[in-house]
């Protein structure tokens, strides 16, 4: 099934720019495949298909049986053919992961997820709590962003949401970085400490801000995501009242650009609104 | 100088959610300080001050001499007093890093940087090439985003830009992740392979796209950032002509929200335009 | 059929703020109805229904027969009942007129129409040429805006478009202010002089700008409406090359606001793009 | 002083497209000048200079003395030279009028003024009440928009605002269409009836909506302009509670386009926010 080899195991030790980078426990994107890795099967004009790398044949949705055994030890990028179609087996991008979510609840857009991570100070190695888990879209983005050295706690007060989020995180292959907790943080607060970031995507974020502050390390950020100005206003006032520093509130408008035969113009279709973002930092 | 200890070395081994996470070579945000770490000194109402953690007194800009020796082995969040002012010593956020840049060239905004990383598939462990280095703002964002397991190559054809970028990356403490190369990629192409991402912030990105494609692993992305419609149009057409998949073009508008005594409204001040983002993926 | 009289003819001569305003040939909005007037029948929750005021019963679309004879000489606002439903007979607003258009071609939005009129210097008494007529949406807005003392010439090179526009203008009751001319202004230019405004809603406005300039009085404006940046760019360069003054180019984004039970937020639905507006003035 | 005559009085009776249009009391834009008309002196690269047409020399600001006597009876567009500079004497556009305002208070932008007029159903012949008068910017736009057959009542509770507005309206030459009234409409309501439109640009428009409704003819509109979400929300709820129909709320974002040597792009400078517009219609 392996077609044009983009290198077997030996190649990954070849001298090169990044040979020195191999670190126990990490997952640099060009590292050879190991069992349990999440593989994105990509081809032109189609969304990526996410599959867990395992020995032996496995069922892939309703689409048939797939055997990826030969990928093990090979480098990402290797070509395979399945059901007569050529694919490349590659490390999934965040875009692949978000595109593969089973949707249920409304999900955060990529632009908002990326900016929320920025405002919340989420980067590789971060320790983040999120509430609520919702459909798990933001959970996946957080788990991706903190990398193999970071950790995410995802709270929800509804068991069914936690299950949906957990399934989406598992599908993305990021379950080792996330712990799910059934808890109503609005009434009971967060049961975590020394967090670098707290991200709140729930209707009444202000009710959680005091607990969030206690759970943050100094230097840590809380970021919120709410659809109405009323929620935003109350959140920003609570951030100030609680002594958060560097309080900010923004929204992002994403406009597609269309390049066609007749010329280039902004796209006609556009989301008029997604949500307002707010953030504050604990500095003492 | 250490005030309210947020824990000495022993605390960081305390049982807790993240105790298991300590990984050689990584820099989880709550890990104890070691020599050479970049420290952000934060306090309410002021931008973070970045300092390299060293033994003994060091000069900090024109602002005096600072001795952070006692931080070594302590956990981030520890309080210190310097020149009569109380600070917390914390891991710098990307916002701290971008806010500490010595500006020269026009710099990419945080919203655009965050979305460029998303579109370019940049995450922990990524291997990214960037051209041009410019002032190093985007370089810093990339080096932050790839984490300790990723690598960045930053090209520029001008020695002075490379030097400015290098200085900004060093100030951010991210120099171990970045190699700078003096090279005119528009004429000579990229001298790298197996990249997961290429980010182009230069006037004629289309001239580099063919070489960028060759340098990418299958599954890898190229993303571009240009101010004019004309550049965007030519870039998108080149992406299509070269067989890139999933070609996208967007712009983001960031609108601040002002919460004041009299109510809440969008901010009067706004950047009307920063740049157009385009991206494509190599899938074969 | 007349219900709650908002006054018969005598009332319109009653002393009041505007009694002095009655001017031969004009149509102040509160003037008593005369035969031939266009009546908007309005009621809560429904779009206005436009009917021409005539003596005797008339057919209204497929909806039945209506006799408005009794309105003649009465003041706008009078209530009538038709087919068991109560209406008020009022002077149509521009919104009523645009909402009653038979659509065929893409039509200009109200925000763009209103701003085009502003940029083109169109106000009461203006003498405007428009090309092309398209579906007549902009023609109706222009004819409304120039008032009873202004005039509009509407050019199109296609007979079918002229007919559609003429039908829409007639439906709006504004045909006395508009003359339609079958002419390809891109090749043959405008055959008009002493215009105060020229409005171009066609694919290649630059081809008409020289002729438009000759047709304008000093102080007159030309305004254009085009979807792509390529057209905009070429138009603006032509405006400058031809010596137009005060050259401007803008676009308007309209964002609805949603006030609901749960609070207030921008609407999710939004048109991402309609068209770019450009304008210039002849000053010599 | 008359240079290139664009025609003396006889020309205005020349046969042509608009010869039939001459209506007593009206001011079609190409009509010959008469004493008391407001003249805009225009030249390339400079804002228009507004002067009242009078017999004999008059002082123009601090810029010297000007004698326009010879214009009387001539057609707009006639060239004159003043202080060594060539001008054209033309009918002022709304843009000229708004550009010549003496600013004091914050003024409504042209895009908002044009759209407010649309939402409020203001067109030629309308009878409009406005509160507050503010600096008179919106008053001028309304007086322009209603034409010579319409009327505007402008309320303010502050004598100094009324005076400023009156001065700006007089400068625009539109004082015959406007009556100014010192009145606190929030507490005392409007003392007008049979209006086609009410435009509210004051902090608490909801306090005036009931009175506004009574002052409107059936079919008439009220439109409001407020900076904060809080005001907008309360206004929209009041519009609904009072039974207004077709309630709408929007904002317009105006984005300039820059066409330069290097290509075309949105302008960097942009107003992030001006105000929210809301409107409703009385239909019964």
């Amino acid at each position: 099934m392996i077609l044009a080899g983009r290198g077997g195991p030996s190649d990954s030790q070849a001298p090169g720019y990044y040979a020195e980078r191999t670190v126990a426990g990490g997952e640099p994107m060009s590292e050879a495949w190991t069992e349990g890795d999440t593989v994105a099967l990509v081809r032109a004009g189609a969304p990526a298909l996410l599959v867990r790398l395992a020995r032996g044949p496995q069922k892939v949705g309703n689409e048939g049986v797939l055997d990826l055994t030969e990928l093990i030890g090979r480098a990402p990028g290797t070509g395979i053919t399945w059901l007569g179609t050529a694919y490349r087996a590659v490390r999934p991008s965040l875009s692949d992961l978000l595109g593969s979510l089973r949707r249920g609840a409304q999900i955060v857009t990529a632009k908002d997820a990326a900016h929320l991570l920025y405002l919340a100070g989420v980067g590789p190695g971060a320790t983040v709590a999120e509430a609520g888990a919702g459909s798990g879209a933001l959970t996946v983005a957080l788990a991706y962003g903190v990398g193999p050295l970071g950790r995410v706690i995802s709270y929800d007060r509804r068991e069914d949401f936690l299950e949906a989020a957990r399934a989406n995180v598992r599908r993305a292959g990021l379950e080792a970085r996330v712990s799910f907790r059934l808890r109503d943080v609005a009434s009971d607060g967060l049961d975590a400490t020394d967090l670098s970031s707290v991200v709140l995507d729930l209707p009444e974020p202000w009710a959680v801000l005091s607990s969030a502050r206690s759970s943050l390390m100094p230097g840590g950020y809380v970021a919120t995501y709410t659809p109405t100005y009323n929620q935003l206003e109350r959140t920003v006032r609570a951030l100030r009242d609680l002594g958060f520093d560097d309080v900010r509130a923004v929204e992002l408008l994403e406009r597609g650009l269309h390049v066609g035969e007749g010329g280039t113009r902004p796209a006609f279709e556009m989301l008029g609104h997604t949500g307002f973002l707010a953030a504050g930092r604990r500095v003492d």
Side-chain angles (χ1 to χ4, degrees), chain A residues 162-177:
Chain A
L162 274 189
E163 271 320 296
R166 195 193 307 267
N168 272 324
V169 167
R170 196 183 302 120
R171 201 168 290 119
L174 298 170
E175 66 275 17
R177 305 175 186 177

Side-chain angles (χ1 to χ4, degrees), chain A residues 170-242:
Chain A
R170 196 183 302 120
R171 201 168 290 119
L174 298 170
E175 66 275 17
R177 305 175 186 177
V178 184
S179 72
F180 291 92
R181 301 193 183 170
L182 183 65
R183 189 178 179 93
D184 184 344
V185 295
S187 57
D188 303 335
L190 285 67
D191 60 343
T193 55
D194 283 356
L195 300 171
S196 56
S197 310
V198 174
V199 177
L200 301 174
D201 178 14
L202 32 69
E204 304 198 346
W206 51 86
V208 190
L209 289 177
S210 176
S211 168
R213 195 171 198 286
S214 304
S215 296
L216 285 172
M217 295 190 283
Y221 295 85
V222 63
T224 67
Y225 186 63
T226 54
T228 71
Y229 100 87
N230 314 66
Q231 293 166 304
L232 176 76
E233 179 174 283
R234 197 156 167 191
T235 300
V236 167
R237 293 202 199 282
L239 285 167
R240 290 181 186 151
D241 290 347
L242 289 165

Side-chain angles (χ1 to χ4, degrees), chain A residues 94-107:
Chain A
L94 178 53
S95 179
D96 292 332
L97 301 181
L98 295 178
S100 301
L101 293 170
R102 298 293 193 281
R103 283 177 189 79
Q106 184 93 0
I107 69 163

Side-chain angles (χ1 to χ4, degrees), chain A residues 111 252-258 265-272:
Chain A
K111 72 168 165 64
L252 295 184
L253 289 163
E254 180 176 5
R255 204 176 189 198
L257 278 300
H258 176 81
R265 56 168 173 75
F268 295 141
E269 314 75 35
M270 179 174 170
L271 265 180

Side-chain angles (χ1 to χ4, degrees), chain A residues 62-73:
Chain A
N62 298 318
E63 303 172 65
V65 171
L66 173 65
D67 188 338
L68 294 174
T69 314
E70 290 179 73
L71 281 183
I72 297 171

